[in-house]
Amino acid sequence: MKVLIADDDAVSRTVLKRTVEKLGHECLVGEDGLQAWEIYQRTHDVEVIVSDWMMPNMDGLELCRSVRGLERAGGYTFFVFLTALGGKDHLLEGMQAGADEYLTKPLDAEQLRAKLIAASRVSSLHRHMKVEGIAETVGDQGGAPKAGVRTPKSTRRQGRPQAGTKTWDILVSQGKLTEEQVKQALEFQEESPMDLGQALVSLGFISEADLARAQAQRLNLEYVELTEADVDSEALSLVPEKLLRRHNALPLYREDGRLVVAMSDPTDIHALDDLRVSCGCAIVPVVTTEENLQRMQTMVFSVGDQVAEILEEAAGPEAESTGELELGAGTEANEAPVVRLVSSILQRAVGEGASDIHLEPQAQELTVRLRMDGVLRELMSVPPKLQSGVVARLKVLANLDIAERRVPQDGRFSVRLAGKKVDLRVATLPTVFGEEVVLRLLDTSTLKSDLTELGFTPADFERYKKIFERPYGTILVTGPTGSGKSTTLYATLKRLNSPNRKIITIEDPVEYRMGGINQIQVNPKAGLTFASGLRSILRNDPDVVMVGEIRDTETAKTAVEAALTGHLVLATLHTNDAPGALSRLTEMGVEPFLIASAVDCVIAQRLVRRLCESCKRPAQIDDEVIAELGLSPEVLAERELRFYESLGCAQCGGTGYRGRTGLYELMVVTDPVKDLILRRASAAEISRIAEEEGMTRLRDDGMLKAASGITTIQEVLRTVV
Ligand SMILES: [Zn+2]
């Protein structure tokens, strides 16, 4: 490396020169600022300048500014100031002029060495980009993407400052940092040697993301916040996992014969070299935080082998060999990627708490989507050469006939991940492009939620509690598929579960297994239907009965009878709102007087996604919109309510939402409501009276939750008709 020294003090110059040369670098010397400046202008490849502060003719500050003014695209000169101890104000001024680092006098050789290493990294990176012809792409000012340059989906481009703008400068100008804080960090840095950026993070002045973003700007690189949508499996396959883990890197996509790679330390030139050799093409680094990168790596790489082992165990040796026969179309080397890929898909689905995995054949590829929090989201595309292998592998695991591709099949298998067992129900469906596979994850360990955590308002919870604590009666939960009905019922059962109560359920399917409760799976082939099962259950003297779903007249009548003969019956029905459930029972042929005396309450519900706590922020909603929703700005202010929105962050995978909560409409069958049932009143009429009796409509409960910053208006409107 070529190092230029600017110092008017002869002794200091000599010491510096000797130290630099001892470290193996070429050394040029200017006896004052002006001389150094002249040398710099004639010499094109000076990579580091170590400059004194006070010098005749041209001082260090001016030298620094001049150097920054001359810098060419792609070239970068690392500027280190020499300063006497205690000159903190100077220091800040120097940094603002564009210096990268500072050294205190008297000179410490070890410190100088550390700065030179830092300098060589930054300068290697710039050289690397120049050699690879990347400088024009990543170094263009202003930040407008060049034609044909693909930007990762989640990237927010920052305006690109001139080369030489410093990390702290950027942060100060963005108002994320004050000069006072920089001074404090500089002081702190003296006590515990670390780089200034790390010091700023350690002191809590800025976040890792702020730092990474600013560093990206400083290096003229792109900053990305990765989500899984940014990872392209084809790019990923270009570099071995081991190497990516070692260097904290993740390939994103190929572009013009170059590979764009996210890195937490893009100045790590060894990593760049390794990656380049490994994939055989030029590397374009983009910057992300270490935390983001590691999270993505965990997501992308399965804990792989471990899961694969488990899966092989689950499949059994016999099934496994069948699978290999089917996969035999490819070579042996092709089998391992299939197994790995399937394992990693399963791992990610389980790890992220997905409820379903959809593998859908398209004309060109197999799309993999996950249903998370009720919404489908694309995970990846399986390349054509692995497609049949992936489908076959899943069929092997589920014990299906892999040769049969024309008729739908279903089966199941289990995986265990970090001590958690997950059952998967697998269904295949022949489509025009090939077999579609849908896996439903039945997480037998996930029922951790208590009834109070599902989304009931405290008032509704109290009303509901009075009802489920009664020894007999009927509780109906209603809503479309996927509205969380089972969770509410299970959470209620969990409350009721005690040694002095006998609880029996009949379900299709048994979604959660609960200790202390007798659960029966419907099996129509064996003659075990909801109706016949319920009758058998009643002969077994239960206290509490749960019926998965009331679908037919016989089940409806038997359930009502059970409630009237001293049992507490819990069941689900398929209606849109709570009053609708009563009309539904009437339509099924249950006598109104039986309904009026047997049913205690009906709960209608929906699930909405919760706003991500990490990235939500107050939203500005027009008063007009608020009024349309049946709220007024005055009421909001009075109750201290506030709408929120979110941008999406690494925590929520860029969706802005994390987890779900229930919207509830609790209708208690009070005397006035009973009268209406007996008079066969319409659902609308019942609804009006029930509201007078304290029922909150689903939509109103939703709007209240939106106004409390739990969810958004869009979510409520999406789920409540
Ligand atoms: Zn978020």
Side-chain angles (χ1 to χ4, degrees), residues 581-618:
L582 300 173
S583 338
R584 189 76 227 281
L585 287 178
T586 321
E587 284 160 26
M588 283 179 166
V590 183
E591 288 297 332
F593 75 93
L594 291 178
I595 300 172
S597 38
V599 180
D600 292 304
C601 78
V602 185
I603 298 169
Q605 72 170 94
R606 297 289 187 278
L607 288 178
V608 291
R609 292 182 291 169
R610 298 184 76 104
L611 274 168
C612 169
E613 290 297 326
S614 322
C615 63
K616 79 173 186 186
R617 55 160 201 214

Side-chain angles (χ1 to χ4, degrees), residues 81-156:
F81 261 123
L82 284 170
T83 160
L85 273 171
K88 298 273 158 39
D89 289 332
H90 282 325
L91 227 54
L92 197 58
E93 214 178 331
M95 297 286 179
Q96 281 163 347
D100 295 276
E101 277 291 357
Y102 68 96
L103 278 171
T104 46
K105 285 180 176 178
L107 192 74
D108 176 292
E110 199 45 43
Q111 266 197 43
L112 176 62
R113 202 176 76 90
K115 307 298 179 202
L116 291 180
I117 289 172
S120 84
R121 289 182 136 200
V122 171
S123 128
S124 304
L125 172 69
H126 283 275
R127 209 170 40 230
H128 162 90
M129 295 194 298
K130 209 170 181 177
V131 169
E132 306 289 1
I134 298 163
E136 312 82 74
T137 311
V138 300
D140 60 339
Q141 309 292 327
K146 276 189 146 185
V149 174
R150 201 182 117 197
T151 306
K153 287 171 197 151
S154 62
T155 301
R156 259 163 266 139

Side-chain angles (χ1 to χ4, degrees), residues 612 614-615 648-652 656-657:
C612 169
S614 322
C615 63
C649 65
Q651 256 74 40
C652 55
Y657 295 99

Side-chain angles (χ1 to χ4, degrees), residues 531-550:
S532 67
L534 185 54
R535 278 197 307 274
S536 323
I537 288 172
L538 293 172
R539 287 193 287 274
N540 279 280
D541 187 29
D543 297 295
V544 180
V545 180
M546 182 177 104
V547 184
E549 193 185 339
I550 296 179

